[in-house]
Amino acid sequence: MNAILVAKTSTDRLIYLHPHLNRERLAHLRASEQFFCPSCGESLLLKIGNIKIPHFSHTIHSECATFSESESPLHLHGKAMLHTFFTQKNHHAELEKYFPFIRQRADLFIDQRFAVEFQCSPILVQQIKARTNGYLEEGIQPLWLLSAKNGQTEGIQIIKLKSYERALIQQARECSFLLSFDPVANRFYYCSSLFFLGGFRWIAKIKSLAAGKQTFPFALPRKLTKAEFELAFELAATERRRFLRSQQFVQNRFRNRFWRACYELQLDADNLPLAIGAPLTGNHLLEGNSVVWQLQALLAQFQGLSMSELLESGQVKLAAEASVPTVVQHLEHYLKLCHLMERRKHDRELLLELLYDNYCKNV
């Protein structure tokens, strides 16, 4: 049986199980009202237990298909707290709104315009795309919120993003970020200023905001200060050194793209120009470590190839969410950066200035 937070009474009045409803009030409701599923019309039970938060439930033999997935206590609590957040901000909020035409149920439906999804567990990227497209086809704007991770610390740091979390990165006003919600602390967490390192590893700024200070539409994160950017720059430099050390243990250097590029460019692998492996905001558009594909871009230029020809050769690969024109532009921009560093290949301060300027123009 699956938990539900909204029900209809015999007079078609909607009952929402807000966190502020105490047990005495809930017991009175259970004794005085009959409850029905707003989707299928079947009878519902109001459960007031000690483990799960208070919720409605179909009977064991229900065939209601609109509540097809069981939900964790965290998910239920989060939906209830978000409903309270929106109503306190004077927005029209509906819990567990079902859209029969696309067979999707939003965790919350706000102001007849926004479908809020509070994601507490891994989900296939294809499902995210399908649900997002379903809402958009109905003229509804989807808003995805992740469940904030336990023990989340704030500041500039290296994080790991799973594939589905990466797919939930939001874009607004040239700003990329992930938004999470912690229903226990009643706080929103922003994961912004994202710099892709490779694999699942990213550099990001984590910053929280109490629900009482949050707005809707949701506030957008601020760009990094110069001092914050320098911290991100140093983390990227540390990761770069770690990657370069790992290449020392490659067995077949002749077939290794890193070593082949260094050889053909006549570069000392132990003393590469600092611009190789530079942290740029668009590095997530290409697969693999930035040191390797940036070397490949320089090698293509040395061989007289355009960036389009480099992509056609398959030497560098696009990320799933990237388009060829965008990646070509990103590669050409990187080559301009290398040109500006040509006479001062190991000037840390110059590189920092150029990268921060690039970051400010793209955020």
Side-chain angles (χ1 to χ4, degrees), residues 94-163:
E94 298 178 65
L95 263 172
E96 300 170 343
K97 173 71 173 179
Y98 184 65
F99 302 95
F101 185 76
I102 54 176
R103 296 184 177 182
Q104 291 181 193
R105 179 179 297 282
D107 288 332
L108 297 106
F109 188 42
I110 311 301
D111 295 337
Q112 304 293 310
R113 292 176 54 202
F114 303 97
V116 177
E117 295 280 359
F118 181 51
Q119 195 63 37
C120 295
S121 58
I123 181 175
L124 294 175
V125 173
Q126 294 89 331
Q127 286 182 280
I128 294 173
K129 292 179 179 179
R131 291 185 69 83
T132 296
N133 290 336
Y135 289 130
L136 292 175
E137 288 171 4
E138 289 291 286
I140 298 167
Q141 180 64 45
L143 298 174
W144 292 83
L145 294 176
L146 284 168
S147 170
K149 298 175 181 177
N150 292 331
Q152 186 87 302
T153 57
E154 299 189 41
I156 310 297
Q157 56 194 277
I158 292 177
I159 63 170
K160 290 184 179 180
L161 294 181
K162 298 176 182 177
S163 297

